[in-house]
Amino acid sequence: LARVVDAYRRIRNTLRFLMANVSDFDPAKDAVPLAQMLEIARYALSRAAQLQADILAHYEVYEFHPVVSKLQIYCSEDLGSFYLDILKDRLYTTAPKSLARRSAQTALHQITHAMLRWMAPFLSFTAEEAWKVFGSSESIFIETYAEFAAPDDALLAKWSRIREIRDAVNKDIEALRADGKVGSSLQANVALRVNADDHALLASLGDDLKFVFITSAIDLVASSDLHAGVSTSSSIKCERCWHYRDDVGVDPAHPTICGR
């Protein structure tokens, strides 16, 4: 029973985060077209479309248990420890109507719609309770499944590799944390050595790279192997975005926050 409670709480808490962060979002006015969305948001929608295809295939043959398992893993790994973790910075610190924030909210809004429908057959009361707040019709049970664009295989492959590299870097940061040298990953500066293919992949993210890796600074170096050199930042922590930056206090009127 304790394991069931943990699984349920993970899904429910993910849903709470999603709904809280689209509370000021009106899809009719604020939605960003797919072509204009940030790449990570387009990846998140492709991943959701891929998962929905799996889930609907299971439902076709009345296989409920694999859906429960896949949804739990999706909430924990795809959303909780990756996409939502990265999004917190732009959701909380960028301008309310900025492209970065509205792009993220567009993806979150579509994922929430889809997720409520995936949940409904086995978390019926929770899905219906959430639908009363989030939905526009009388009940979740008169809805059909959400429609996504076809998954972008190239985008899925690219971000799958980025996530693998990110996991490797996180292990090195974790070792530093275990030694008490850093608190959060934002306190770490990373010098990342990667091969030519991975270098091109990561360089394509531009300034977004450090946000994807949730570090204050990351330097890419072309090499023959994958290696992350992690050190503790000597910069000052910004009170607003929690990044460690050299330009904290650049505005005398706001001595505790960075230029960004």
Side-chain angles (χ1 to χ4, degrees):
L1 282 173
R3 282 201 300 273
V4 175
V5 170
D6 287 344
Y8 170 68
R9 188 174 285 128
R10 164 60 68 184
I11 294 169
R12 188 175 184 276
N13 286 349
T14 303
L15 188 59
R16 285 178 64 191
F17 181 93
L18 292 170
M19 292 176 68
N21 281 287
V22 293
S23 59
D24 67 333
F25 178 78
D26 178 356
K29 294 188 298 186
D30 303 325
V32 177
L34 186 65
Q36 294 173 29
M37 290 171 76
L38 272 60
E39 188 177 295
I40 191 170
R42 287 188 280 116
Y43 160 72
L45 290 178
S46 271
R47 177 70 191 103
Q50 187 184 43
L51 179 65
Q52 178 162 288
D54 283 350
I55 285 174
L56 297 191
H58 286 302
Y59 278 154
E60 282 291 324
V61 289
Y62 297 94
E63 291 176 350
F64 289 82
H65 187 263
V67 178
V68 178
S69 176
K70 286 180 179 181
L71 182 58
Q72 184 186 350
I73 292 168
Y74 177 71
C75 288
S76 177
E77 296 179 9
D78 288 279
L79 294 180
S81 63
F82 182 69
Y83 186 51
L84 301 184
D85 207 18
I86 293 166
L87 279 198
K88 285 172 187 171
D89 183 88
R90 67 184 52 145
L91 286 171
Y92 301 163
T93 67
T94 57
K97 297 182 180 180
S98 64
L99 175 64
R101 188 166 183 273
R102 288 306 194 203
S103 175
Q105 286 184 308
T106 303
L108 295 185
H109 191 267
Q110 292 182 37
I111 289 168
T112 308
H113 264 289
M115 192 167 140
L116 284 172
R117 290 156 166 80
W118 302 338
M119 289 165 50
F122 60 89
L123 291 176
S124 305
F125 294 102
T126 302
E128 186 76 333
E129 181 188 359
W131 187 253
K132 297 293 183 196
V133 178
F134 184 76
S136 54
S137 66
E138 187 183 341
S139 170
I140 185 76
F141 296 104
I142 59 172
E143 296 293 315
T144 54
Y145 287 101
E147 289 185 15
F148 286 110
D152 185 329
D153 292 334
L155 204 58
L156 288 168
K158 174 182 178 177
W159 280 89
S160 176
R161 179 58 185 156
I162 290 171
R163 287 177 65 175
E164 286 173 6
I165 298 168
R166 183 177 180 268
D167 288 343
V169 171
N170 281 343
K171 284 179 184 173
D172 291 325
I173 294 174
E174 197 57 46
L176 220 59
R177 185 185 283 120
D179 289 342
K181 293 177 181 174
V182 298
S184 78
S185 61
L186 285 172
Q187 203 174 347
N189 288 345
V190 178
L192 185 57
R193 295 207 317 251
V194 288
N195 63 35
D197 290 342
D198 288 342
H199 190 282
L201 206 69
L202 297 172
S204 70
L205 299 179
D207 289 340
D208 266 354
L209 183 62
K210 68 179 181 183
F211 297 109
V212 170
F213 280 73
I214 315 183
T215 59
S216 289
I218 185 163
D219 292 318
L220 272 183
V221 182
S223 176
S224 57
D225 60 342
L226 174 61
H227 176 76
V230 182
S231 59
T232 307
S233 175
S234 58
S235 301
I236 301 168
K237 181 181 178 179
C238 169
E239 201 175 71
R240 177 83 175 88
C241 71
W242 296 7
H243 282 244
Y244 287 73
R245 291 168 58 106
D246 293 330
D247 62 351
V248 171
V250 67
D251 183 343
H254 303 281
T256 61
I257 62 175
C258 66
R260 185 164 76 103

